Amino acid sequence: MSTRTPIIAGNWKCYKTVDEAIALAEGVVRAVAEIPGVEVVLCPPFVALTAVRQRIAGSRVRLGAQNAYLEEGAFTGEIAPRMLAGLCEYVILGHSERRRIFGESDVTINARVRAALGLGLSPILCVGESLEQNERGDMEAVVSGQVRAALEGVNGQQWLGMGGAIAYEPVWAIGTGRPCHGPAANAIIGMIRGLLAGLYGPEAAGAVRIQYGGSVNAGNIAEFMEQPEVDGALVGGASLQVEEFGSIVRKAAELRAAAG
Ligand code: PGA
């Protein structure tokens, strides 16, 4: 069994006021306090990062942002990686909602990955095929193209040193209540690991955490954690409630402990 520490990250998307985010973070801290062996990351909206940071201080919960631009400057509405450095450890990059709704491309995602790494942030790089691409059987080509493009010019040691993770999130599974099947997610994630082995060598590839994301909840987390290549989950909707998210983390920890 792998020695990679699973990572369960909650992507709160564009939900929760600052006060609601504080309450959710405090609840999660309590819910996961006694659960070992899983890294828990909360990714609230930008405006709640500072408040959530204070509430999770001293706990095992880590903090992530949901995106970052490349640099400071005249970029109204954007957040630069230097503003996040020192505030949080992780940053989600290349989420399909950013790609689809806000027009982010492989090229700008690569620039964001490099900028974030350069400032000491750990990317959670999201990749995944659309429904149409899935129906055409193009999953592997699409996902490998996205991974290659996002990591273009990225040094493997730097990626590993920062503990960067990858989240395989098929677009058709996000927010639809229709998750990917565990073995199918395992196959794509194994393919990503093979690609990383080609880029950075097998040892480095064996150390990178690759999560599954898309309609994960407490009822189906087991199906993913049972897969040898899957190192946790990026959770959207089900991360917005303390009980549900807490039980995802608990089940993930139990399954990994049983497998280990
Ligand atoms: P979902 O979202 O769990 O609500 O499907 C996952 C994500 O977008 O990261």
Side-chain angles (χ1 to χ4, degrees), residues 22-34:
I22 290 171
L24 179 53
E26 288 176 344
V28 170
V29 166
R30 278 194 297 273
V32 307
E34 309 295 330

Side-chain angles (χ1 to χ4, degrees), residues 173-222:
I174 295 177
T176 57
R178 232 188 97 206
C180 187
H181 292 299
N186 193 63
I188 296 288
I189 289 175
M191 185 276 299
I192 296 173
R193 202 176 302 287
L195 196 159
L196 293 176
L199 290 175
Y200 301 139
E203 204 178 314
V208 175
R209 278 134 3 130
I210 313 180
Q211 307 161 274
Y212 166 76
S215 296
V216 170
N217 58 36
N220 62 30
I221 183 68

Side-chain angles (χ1 to χ4, degrees), residues 44-176:
F46 288 124
V47 291
L49 280 172
T50 303
V52 170
R53 179 173 190 244
Q54 287 164 358
R55 293 333 194 268
I56 64 174
S59 81
R60 1 183 349 267
V61 177
R62 322 262 42 108
L63 190 62
Q66 296 177 17
N67 197 17
Y69 190 59
L70 316 181
E71 56 187 347
E72 289 169 75
F75 307 113
T76 302
E78 290 298 326
I79 302 284
R82 203 169 70 87
M83 300 165 190
L84 298 174
L87 190 58
C88 60
E89 291 167 52
Y90 287 96
V91 59
I92 298 172
L93 292 173
H95 191 280
S96 67
E97 286 149 16
R98 299 300 319 176
R99 294 176 191 257
R100 189 169 44 85
I101 305 169
F102 300 100
E104 291 185 17
S105 67
D106 281 340
V107 171
T108 69
I109 290 161
N110 171 247
R112 285 164 205 261
V113 167
R114 294 208 248 178
L117 283 171
L119 280 151
L121 294 162
S122 308
I124 297 177
L125 169 66
C126 300
V127 294
E129 81 284 358
S130 68
L131 180 60
E132 202 182 35
Q133 291 163 334
N134 182 278
E135 283 170 348
R136 282 204 307 263
D138 284 348
M139 299 80 90
E140 296 209 358
V142 169
V143 170
S144 62
Q146 288 173 341
V147 173
R148 275 182 199 286
L151 296 182
E152 172 92 45
V154 171
N155 176 298
Q157 286 314 314
Q158 196 183 20
W159 178 271
L160 269 184
M162 286 316 306
I166 296 178
Y168 168 56
E169 298 204 307
V171 179
W172 49 269
I174 295 177
T176 57

